[in-house]
Amino acid sequence: VTKVSASAQPLKNADELIDSVETFIFDCDGVIWKGDKLIDGVPETLDMLRAKGKRLVFVTNNSTKSRKQYGKKFETLGLSVNEEEIFASSFAAAAYLKSIDFPKDKKVYVIGEDGILKELELAGYQYLGGPADGEKKIELKPGFLMEHDKDVGAVVVGFDRYFNYYKIQYGTLCVRENPGCLFIATNRDAVTHLTDAQEWAGGGSMVGAIAGSCQREPIVVGKPSTFMMDYLANNLTRPLVSNSSLMSLFNDRFGISKSQICMVGDRLDTDILFGQNGGCKTLLVLSGVTSLSMLQSPSNSIQPDFYTNKISDFLSLKAA
Ligand code: PLP
Ligand code: CA
């Protein structure tokens, strides 16, 4: 059965949307910032939502930084955001391993950057690979056999600007020679915007290389997979400022209910799908990679509930 979703509506009354939910999940790039530049009106908007007692959560598919490193980025941009409010796909990889009780005596082979290493370390996992393998070369001689650590029980792949053939072969050996070895992807974004001049190959390109050689599909922990949404719903138990004491008791004990969440993002196939897969309300902002004509193109089947230019529209869009 294919779900035919109604076309997205332009957001007209922001207060109505704000009052209808208790939590906002914000995607980062394209919503809060663009690269290293803060998007206009973000600090005032977040302040207003906090003053209304809304819970704010920040989710990013960019695995190159850890939660702590993102905390610094928010601070540099003048935003006061707690590390516990940040859910990057680097953190999601470590949280996934914890959620399945991945044994501490096994190792993780990492294809990716520093953020994944930092999160694995914090979670108490042993790892190898990462940027340290960026310089490695394979010297092919007749009979050459590449060895690999047989204690590797999971290969985690994310965006990696130091990607090379050594890493492909090492990751492939781990996965192919041990059917029990997990293959985890932080995200599969096709492209990313390292500069605003063009689109750059995203994390999906590294994941695709390993999937291609292993002939196996990864477990994706970033958007649009439901892992992070379920994790959020189960683990966010900070009590909310709420008029209903019963409601806050409920939140304390069980985390957030998904119908009380609005997912705000700039990308249809990650953010909006993530919100929809999680049963949340969805708002597309046009401050990132998606234009109005892309949203309204007949070839696009992903329709958020609402769309608007940028999150600071929350401050001006009032009922007529
Ligand atoms: N992956 C990489 C490597 C990126 O540079 C970006 C955006 O900057 C993303 C993913 C997408 O990030 P987000 O989910 O915050 O839009
Ligand atoms: Ca984004």
Side-chain angles (χ1 to χ4, degrees):
V1 182
T2 45
K3 188 178 160 246
V4 182
S5 45
S7 298
Q9 297 297 307
L11 185 67
K12 291 214 173 84
N13 183 348
D15 286 341
E16 197 172 35
L17 174 65
I18 294 167
D19 291 343
S20 74
V21 296
E22 62 187 24
T23 297
F24 280 91
I25 301 180
F26 290 107
D27 161 49
C28 294
D29 199 81
V31 176
I32 304 297
W33 58 63
K34 255 192 146 164
D36 288 326
K37 241 185 111 247
L38 191 64
I39 290 175
D40 277 354
V42 166
E44 299 86 338
T45 310
L46 300 185
D47 285 349
M48 177 275 288
L49 292 173
R50 287 199 200 277
K52 281 181 180 270
K54 302 298 164 182
R55 185 201 318 252
L56 309 185
V57 174
F58 301 87
V59 174
T60 177
N61 263 2
N62 188 339
S63 64
T64 61
K65 290 186 171 72
S66 65
R67 278 181 139 176
K68 202 184 175 86
Q69 291 168 322
Y70 277 114
K72 291 231 171 68
K73 176 165 183 169
F74 276 99
E75 200 181 306
T76 305
L77 293 172
L79 299 169
S80 80
V81 167
N82 197 307
E83 250 175 65
E84 273 83 57
E85 296 171 318
I86 304 167
F87 294 84
S89 59
S90 53
F91 172 81
Y96 177 79
L97 291 171
K98 268 191 171 174
S99 76
I100 58 160
D101 280 324
F102 182 73
K104 293 275 161 86
D105 58 352
K106 290 274 182 195
K107 296 174 191 166
V108 182
Y109 183 67
V110 179
I111 297 177
E113 300 192 15
D114 195 41
I116 300 172
L117 305 187
K118 289 253 168 28
E119 294 295 355
L120 289 174
E121 205 165 298
L122 267 175
Y125 290 117
Q126 307 176 62
Y127 62 80
L128 57 159
D133 282 358
E135 300 288 309
K136 293 201 177 147
K137 292 202 166 53
I138 298 173
E139 287 198 28
L140 293 177
K141 287 177 277 210
F144 175 71
L145 180 91
M146 187 166 166
E147 298 289 348
H148 73 285
D149 191 327
K150 304 292 187 297
D151 289 334
V152 171
V155 173
V156 172
V157 186
F159 183 69
D160 188 345
R161 280 165 288 189
Y162 312 93
F163 195 61
N164 59 27
Y165 191 66
Y166 177 93
K167 295 185 185 187
I168 298 180
Q169 179 64 3
Y170 201 102
T172 301
L173 285 175
C174 295
V175 174
R176 282 188 85 122
E177 298 203 356
N178 174 5
C181 182
L182 301 168
F183 171 26
I184 298 166
T186 58
N187 67 305
R188 293 196 88 160
D189 293 36
V191 294
T192 174
H193 295 78
L194 298 178
T195 66
D196 50 18
Q198 67 180 182
E199 292 186 326
W200 296 81
S205 57
M206 291 87 198
V207 175
I210 306 302
S213 57
C214 295
Q215 293 294 294
R216 231 214 263 176
E217 287 305 301
I219 299 159
V220 180
V221 294
K223 299 171 289 185
S225 114
T226 53
F227 173 73
M228 268 212 278
M229 188 65 78
D230 293 338
Y231 185 90
L232 285 167
N234 293 325
N235 291 278
L236 280 183
T237 52
R238 189 167 54 85
L240 279 168
V241 182
S242 165
N243 294 333
S244 152
S245 56
L246 207 67
M247 184 54 103
S248 66
L249 257 180
F250 182 82
N251 283 322
D252 265 358
R253 181 92 199 280
F254 302 108
I256 22 179
S257 97
K258 292 172 183 173
S259 64
Q260 289 283 313
I261 300 174
C262 179
M263 172 69 208
V264 183
D266 70 319
R267 198 155 166 156
L268 295 162
D269 66 348
T270 53
D271 303 319
I272 300 306
L273 209 52
F274 176 67
Q276 290 176 343
N277 287 343
C280 309
K281 294 194 170 78
T282 53
L283 170 67
L284 178 79
V285 287
L286 305 173
S287 50
V289 302
T290 308
S291 63
L292 188 57
S293 61
M294 285 158 76
L295 171 66
Q296 294 175 337
S297 155
S299 64
N300 168 46
S301 61
I302 306 170
Q303 294 290 326
D305 295 315
F306 301 105
Y307 69 89
T308 196
N309 287 324
K310 52 191 185 315
I311 63 167
S312 59
D313 293 345
F314 281 3
L315 300 169
S316 56
L317 291 174
K318 306 281 176 190

